[in-house]
Amino acid sequence: MSNVLLIEDDAAIRTSLTRGLRDRGHAVSSAPAALDGLRLAVEERPDLVVLDLGLPDMDGLDLLRMLRAVSRVPVIVATARDGDAEMVRLLDAGADDYVVKPFSATQLDARIRAVLRRVAGENRADSSVTVGGLRIDPRTREATLDGAPLDLSPREFDLLHYLAARPGEVVTKRELLTHVWQIPYGGADKTVDVHLSWLRRKLGETSQEPRYLQTVRGVGVRLAAPA
């Protein structure tokens, strides 16, 4: 369940969206004005803010900039204008997404879930990962095994990090080609096999005697801490 802050001055819309989002599993708090919304955003630290631009005490775009100055909370902006220039203006000001009025609670829920999935993926990608004695830091692009640095090529590092960020999860070669090699269509499984072989060698293991990299025949590969 996510905690959503709805900043909307129209009481009927605020009530309708609050009810609709709660029915879809979200916890919702709301504010009818910009300064009230800013206070709640700081005090309650919601998972996401839905911000209407037409507020009575401040332009919504100014509030968006103020939110960005104090928080990285994802923001979906509700606007009545759908021109390209407006969308660029909102995204440049720090919005994560937008919805054009009129919209339903179902549409807003889909946007909220999509933004939260994206943010979760970005946070996971930025965080260091530890699996057993293996530690990978994507910010410095350094990996160590039992405290000793691993000498990895850029592709080996990306492959190791992708797998380590999903410990115990079986990942298919098609998924690896799509997300590590950025090849959504085509591509050869042999490319993945070769890099996995090189990675195993640097981890001090083999496919016959695996420690971290475990092949699931006919499905893919998973990375897990040694038993």
Side-chain angles (χ1 to χ4, degrees), residues 127-165:
S127 301
S128 61
V129 179
T130 300
V131 181
L134 188 62
R135 187 177 187 279
I136 302 107
D137 189 336
R139 290 161 297 188
T140 61
R141 294 189 66 83
E142 294 176 342
T144 59
L145 178 61
D146 298 328
L150 292 171
D151 183 17
L152 303 176
S153 71
R155 188 73 75 190
E156 289 167 350
F157 181 91
D158 292 341
L159 175 59
L160 182 64
H161 179 243
Y162 190 87
L163 292 169

Side-chain angles (χ1 to χ4, degrees), residues 10 59 72 99 101 112 115-116 125 134 155 171 185:
D10 187 299
D59 182 84
R72 294 180 60 188
V99 285
K101 294 182 177 180
I112 289 172
V115 169
L116 291 178
L134 188 62
R155 188 73 75 190
V171 180
Y185 306 105

Side-chain angles (χ1 to χ4, degrees), residues 56-76:
D57 56 339
M58 182 186 299
D59 182 84
L61 196 62
D62 291 334
L63 176 57
L64 175 59
R65 294 190 180 103
M66 292 176 68
L67 279 170
R68 278 290 160 263
V70 298
S71 173
R72 294 180 60 188
V73 62
V75 177
I76 297 178

